[in-house]
Each structure stands twice: as structure tokens, then as C-alpha cells.
Amino acid sequence: MAQVILGGNTVNTYGELPEIGEKAPHFELLKSDLSVGRLKDFEGKRLILNIFPSIDTNTCATSVRTFNERAKKLKNTEVLCISRDLPFAQSRFCASEGLDDVIMLSDFKTGAFGKELGVAIEDGAFEGLLARAIVVVDKDHTIVYTELVPEIGQEPDYKAALNHLM
């Protein structure tokens, strides 16, 4: 179990992020069109898993915009923005921001993704949501970088994550 800070209070996550060098765990999440998105759909692609509590918060929205803007310059790389928001809320955000190429995925149905990656929040005001975290995987889907952001209201270290793909 890991801990993060939310509004000055310590909250617990379901587990720990996977170790660097491990294979990224299989996932099945809902896309904006309600179809299922799976890790295997991105075979041969490098991935930034941008995991956050809710698209309707400033920091989460900023991380989506920032990662997608910066990752556009990287070849063979996709940013997957993952939360427990309903796919409709994720679509609304992208439409209002004019973001056509963002891949949003939702863990709202089962929460299995958050538990598998150890980022599901177990207590506090955001119980059931996902902690802010970054997982970067190479083209073989081996994990090369992770960050569990210590304060939920804090932005992730974009540079450190992207440096693992340069």
C-alpha cells in the first residue's frame, strides 16, 4: 500500500505501482465510444499512461493537455489518459478543449485497472478514484518509468517521464 496527500490529508492506495522492468499488466478499459480498449491494441507502441482522479479538476485537465502536446513530437508514442470518469465526461472535456487526438480510457465499470496498478484510492474524499500517476512503457510494453505523484493536486514530472522516451 502506498500513500499520497489529498488536501493535506494522507490517503492510501490499493497497492504499489509495478516495478520498472516488469511487463505492463493487461487492461480492458472503455473508450469514449464505449468500445473496449486493451493494452494489446497498442502493440509495438510506446505508451505514457497518464492516470488521474477526474478530468473535471484543473490539474488533471492540465496533465492531459500537457502530455498530449509534448508527446506529439515523439515517434511511435501514444498517451493514454485514464480515469474513472464516465466516457461521456471524458468526451465532453476533449470536445470543449478541441482535443481530437487524445486517447481517453475509463476504468469506471470495474475499477480493476486501478487495483491492478496499485493506484486505486482506498480512503478519504477521493475513495474509489485513481491517484495521480504516470507509467511509461516501451514498445515491448515493459515498464521503463513510474511516478506516483505525492500530492494529488500536484502535476506529474512531465520531463522525467518524457526523457524515458527520448
Side-chain angles (χ1 to χ4, degrees), residues 3-16:
Q3 296 183 324
V4 294
I5 305 298
L6 172 62
N9 299 309
T10 301
V11 296
N12 299 295
T13 64
Y14 188 79
E16 304 278 340

Side-chain angles (χ1 to χ4, degrees), residues 44-48 74-78 137-139 165:
K45 298 272 188 186
R46 303 179 314 167
L47 302 173
I48 299 169
L74 301 175
K75 292 183 178 168
N76 197 36
T77 302
E78 299 284 355
V137 300
D138 66 14
K139 65 181 180 61
L165 297 171

Side-chain angles (χ1 to χ4, degrees), residues 40-85:
K40 71 179 184 176
D41 297 339
F42 302 96
E43 281 187 26
K45 298 272 188 186
R46 303 179 314 167
L47 302 173
I48 299 169
L49 307 183
N50 178 23
I51 304 161
F52 50 87
S54 175
I55 196 61
D56 288 320
T57 65
N58 288 336
T59 307
C60 299
T62 297
S63 74
V64 169
R65 288 188 298 266
T66 302
F67 267 123
N68 283 281
E69 181 61 34
R70 293 183 184 181
K72 274 191 223 180
K73 302 169 187 145
L74 301 175
K75 292 183 178 168
N76 197 36
T77 302
E78 299 284 355
V79 179
L80 307 182
C81 298
I82 304 168
S83 70
R84 293 212 58 200
D85 290 299

